[in-house]
Structure formats: structure tokens, C-alpha cells
Amino acid sequence: VRTAGRILEEEGLEAVSMRRLSGELGAGTMTLYGHFRDKDELLDAIVDARAGAAPPPRLRGDWTQRLRQIFGHLHRNLSEHPGLVELRIRRPIATPGAFVITELGMRTLRDAGFPPAEAARAFRTLFVFTFGAAAFSPPGRAPQARSTVLAAVGALAPEEYPTLAAMGTELADSLDPRGEFETGLEHILDGLKAALAREAWAR
Amino acid sequence: VRTAGRILEEEGLEAVSMRRLSGELGAGTMTLYGHFRDKDELLDAIVDARAGAAPPPRLRGDWTQRLRQIFGHLHRNLSEHPGLVELRIRRPIATPGAFVITELGMRTLRDAGFPPAEAARAFRTLFVFTFGAAAFSPPGRAPQARSTVLAAVGALAPEEYPTLAAMGTELADSLDPRGEFETGLEHILDGLKAALAREAWAR
DNA sequence: ACCTGAACACCGTTCAAGT
DNA sequence: ACCTGAACACCGTTCAAGT
């Protein structure tokens, strides 16, 4: 599992094959099937092992600051390992390691005053956004994405795309992975604060 | 491209192979390479052809209602075609068809009072969240995801996961794709409303 | 009981030969 | 000029044989 995780991080998901892995370990390909029923089980084991790998920081401050720490940590982890993101989108995992972040986030939201169902919804919003940001804007692709969008917007017909034609640079700048994640997180936190101030269950 | 798109929608990305496609078309596999340099070029052609396929609805109401219509439309489209989501995450596109939604969203945000840079950030937050929701919670996977999470949370050690152990059903319920998208969208819209009410540039 | 080579049914793509 | 079969270097997995 450790070797497979290394291949995934260094060379991406497509490089992780049963034959490649067994070769690297100096064993026959079929030996792997004594430890995992099939490749999916191996991939699950990689994700599980990596999910609890970097423990989240000790939480400090009020609930919004804690959520910034939890999801900032998750986003940093995911951004550093794009292969893991692809894997977790294709095969969501439900192993104990994957729930460490969930437990922390849910505890923070419950303590902030969100009832169980509302806390679960709020967590899910933050979780899906964080994964979306990591999947859609891996840091390695950022420079290329910027220039691609800049060129594409420049080539649009101004009559059909009047708004975009006037703001190509702002659009390209919004693709910066860190800024994209951080402003999005603030938008969601603003929304959660508003819900907490508005809803009857919070009183 | 049409046939490849049909295979993608009916059987998923893994079913789209050069050999399978050429077989379906009654041609030699290598004939495809007269039309596309390689498989990536074929995949790009599929995404481009599908991007502008379903035109967004005419927009009505205030800016929050319009954003609900724009991103609800996008989310519905993506949810119906999970293969396309996987493809667009792996290879973001910048063809004119892909910018129709961007133009509509950006115009709505500019009209609401967001300056160019803030409008771009806000759009990006909504866009990334919508894609994340579609990628992470394709409707077809929902029933299975629900029971998997329910079982997994039930098996967690209550001493290590005290919060989750007490709210398994709420967590499982939060995976419902429509509900997940809609509450997340409301959270973000709440946040954007708060920013509009708070920031100096809005006055 | 444990390990694994051969085989099967697939891939994308290059190369050379066919019409 | 256009099309394509054979070949190459890969896959995951089954099955049967090896120790």
C-alpha cells in the first residue's frame, strides 16, 4: 500500500497498475491478489491509508476559524496529491480514516449551534466545495489555465459575450487555486453565519 | 463524435475506447486516427459538442433567483451526464460553448452590484461548488452511498467519533444529490448577499 | 498453504502494407 | 490519397500448476 501510494503521488493514477506495483515489489503479479481481492480494494486501501496520514492541526479560535483550519488543511492535502482527489471522486470511501475530518467538522458545527441535520448539510457544502476546488484547480495546472482562458476570452465575439469581453483579466485571475479556495470558503462561512443568525433553531 | 458521446452517456467514460468506437462504426480502428490525432482529441470533441447542447432558460426575477436558475440548469445538465463531468474535470475546456453559462452568470453578478474581480470570484465559487456536487454525488450512486455511509458510521468506535456516532441518519440524509446542491447553493447565495451588504464597493 | 506463470480478453498507438 | 491489419507494449483477472 505504501509503494502504491508513492507511485500514485509521483506519477498519477494511471501509473498505478497491478503489474507495475508487483514488479516494483519484486513479486509475481498474482501475489497481490493474495492481499487484495481486486484492484479496487487496493485503491481503497491507498485512500484509507492516506486519509488519516496528515493529522489535522489542533483547533483554535471560534467556530469560523476552526472551519478555516479544518478545510484549509483538507484543501492543502488534496492539492498536494491530485491523484488522490481523482480517486476519491471516483470511489468515495467510508473507512474510519476518512471520517476524521468529518468528526472534527461536525463537532465544530454542532458546538456552533447547528442542529444535526443542518450541521450535516453545512459540512457537506464545505466538503463538496473543497473537493471541487482541488479537483478543478490543481495548482500544477494553474499557469496554463490562466493563459488558456485569457486567450479564449480574447477570442470571443464581444456582441455575444459583452460582459466577459470586458473582464478577461479578472476572470483569469479568479482561477488562482489558493485565492479561489479562500474566497469561496469565506462566502460559504458568511452564508453559514447568516443562517445561524436567521433561523429559529439557533435560538 | 455523436456515437462516442452516446457510448459515454450510456456506459461511462471507461467504455469509450478507440477499438470499441471503430467497431460500432464498422471501420478499422486505425481509421479514427485519420480524424483525430489521438484519443484526447476525440474526447475534447465530445465535450465541445455537448457543452452548448442544452441552452439555459430565460432568466427571471432578482439576481439571487437568476443565479438559482443558471446554476440549477448547469447542475441538472451535469447530473444527467456523469461521464461529461469526469471528462471536464480532467480536461477543462475553453471553447465558446463553455462560456455561455459564464457570460450569463457574470452579467447577473455585475448587475447585482459586484465589481469585475468580485463577480469573477463569486462566479467561480458557484461554478466549482456546482461541479463538485455533480462529480461527488451523481444521482445514480445516491442510494448505495446512503447505505454505505449508514453502515460505516454505525461501525465507528463511539469513543473516537462521538459526534458522528450520534448522527448517522442525518449524515446519510445529507448525501441526497438534489438537497445537497440546493442547500449548498443557498449557503453561497446567503454569503454573497452578506458581502453585498457589507463591502464598501457596494455603496 | 502459499505463490505465480501462462493465458484470456481487453487497451492506445506505430508502422508498414494494402487498395 | 485514403484506409487498415499486424504488431508492440501495455492492462486486470482467471485458472491451473508449481513449491
Side-chain angles (χ1 to χ4, degrees), chain A residues 14-96:
Chain A
E14 85 215 320
V16 181
S17 79
M18 300 304 263
R19 296 173 118 109
R20 163 74 186 278
L21 175 60
S22 61
E24 202 123 325
L25 294 170
T29 306
M30 285 310 113
T31 310
L32 295 177
Y33 287 80
H35 302 270
F36 307 96
R37 210 192 338 263
D38 54 19
K39 191 183 178 183
D40 282 348
E41 210 171 272
L42 167 66
L43 295 178
D44 280 348
I46 301 173
V47 175
D48 187 42
R50 286 291 192 278
R58 262 208 299 153
L59 302 180
R60 304 174 49 180
D62 72 10
W63 67 275
T64 60
Q65 285 178 291
R66 283 166 188 251
L67 289 176
R68 278 183 201 98
Q69 289 155 35
I70 294 169
F71 287 96
H73 171 80
L74 178 61
H75 184 255
R76 224 171 302 120
N77 258 8
L78 296 175
S79 297
E80 280 164 17
H81 310 303
L84 270 184
V85 181
E86 210 177 327
L87 216 45
R88 291 187 65 172
I89 285 180
R90 297 225 297 230
R91 350 191 58 254
I93 46 156
T95 54

Side-chain angles (χ1 to χ4, degrees), chain B residues 19 26-31 35:
Chain B
R19 296 171 117 110
T29 306
M30 285 311 112
T31 311
H35 302 270

